[in-house]
Amino acid sequence: MNEHFERMLARAEQLMARIERVLPAPLSEPDWSASIAYRYRKRSSGHALLEPVRHVGVMRLADLQEIDGQKEKIQRNTLQFVEGKPANNVLLTGARGTGKSSLIRACLNEYAPRGLRLIEVDKADLVDLPDIVEVVAQRPEKFIIFCDDLSFEDGEPGYKALKSILDGSVAASTPNVLIYSTSNRRHLLPEYMKENLTYKHTDDGELHPGEVVEEKISLSERFGLWVSFYPFTQDEYLVIVAQWLRSFGVPDAAIEAARPEALVWALERASRSGRVAYQFARDYAGRHAAQ
């Protein structure tokens, strides 16, 4: 009887060990000395980890041209955060390729020596943000939770989760964590013509949005700081091209000669963005160096 019971107990322990290996383990701390930036990754098994970014992109604030107003706001807010002063969660919106995510990376490189760290989280994993905050809450560093190109379709679970995180959740009050998000949509959700019908107007002519519109506006309003980015003019685009060519070591005479090619490059892509300017500069600098 005792031998039978012991065999059953041993088999039960083996079974429990197998189940524990399959079940998701609690999020553990990474090697904080491995990097200044981390990615939150969840495997198909459900196991999640903070993965160090081994090669963080080199981007300096001085590299970003023609967005001085936006740069001043983001840099000021980030510095307040690093210094332990009150600071806001940030939503950066506007035209594609105008430097939204580059500005965040530049701030990371600027203030990493003072303890700033970044954790990149996909929107699908925003529901796990309380777990991430729990891991970093007692750390001395300051952490930016970075959600790039954030937008939601109707009914996505991350939408409700982000709302509670930004305003009203226990995790949001952690003093060493802020959320920085970039988006091409001001209100983060698709907007439809039929929603204009929900607007109401009073006798004096004032317009008031309906419940559907209010719901969509409410998420972006929970970010304390909004920073808008706009398409570049031709002259601004050429200034950015020149700056990047100069950073690649192209001489001034060649930079001046590159202007017509830079305009054709932008015309072919139907965009005068900072990203297009950088791509042209890489191409031109590579061809110029080969001569």
Side-chain angles (χ1 to χ4, degrees), residues 8-49:
M8 289 185 62
L9 185 60
R11 292 180 62 184
E13 289 176 347
Q14 292 173 0
L15 180 60
M16 290 177 63
R18 291 179 182 177
I19 292 174
E20 287 177 351
R21 285 196 295 269
V22 173
L23 290 175
L27 184 64
S28 58
E29 291 196 34
D31 178 4
W32 294 114
S33 65
S35 180
I36 60 173
Y38 299 81
R39 294 189 185 96
Y40 179 74
R41 291 289 182 261
K42 184 179 286 186
R43 308 304 185 196
S44 57
S45 62
H47 292 279
L49 71 157

Side-chain angles (χ1 to χ4, degrees), residues 243-261:
Q243 186 271 327
W244 282 122
L245 287 173
R246 202 168 288 113
S247 73
F248 288 128
V250 177
D252 289 343
I255 291 174
E256 186 65 26
R259 289 167 62 93
E261 286 189 53

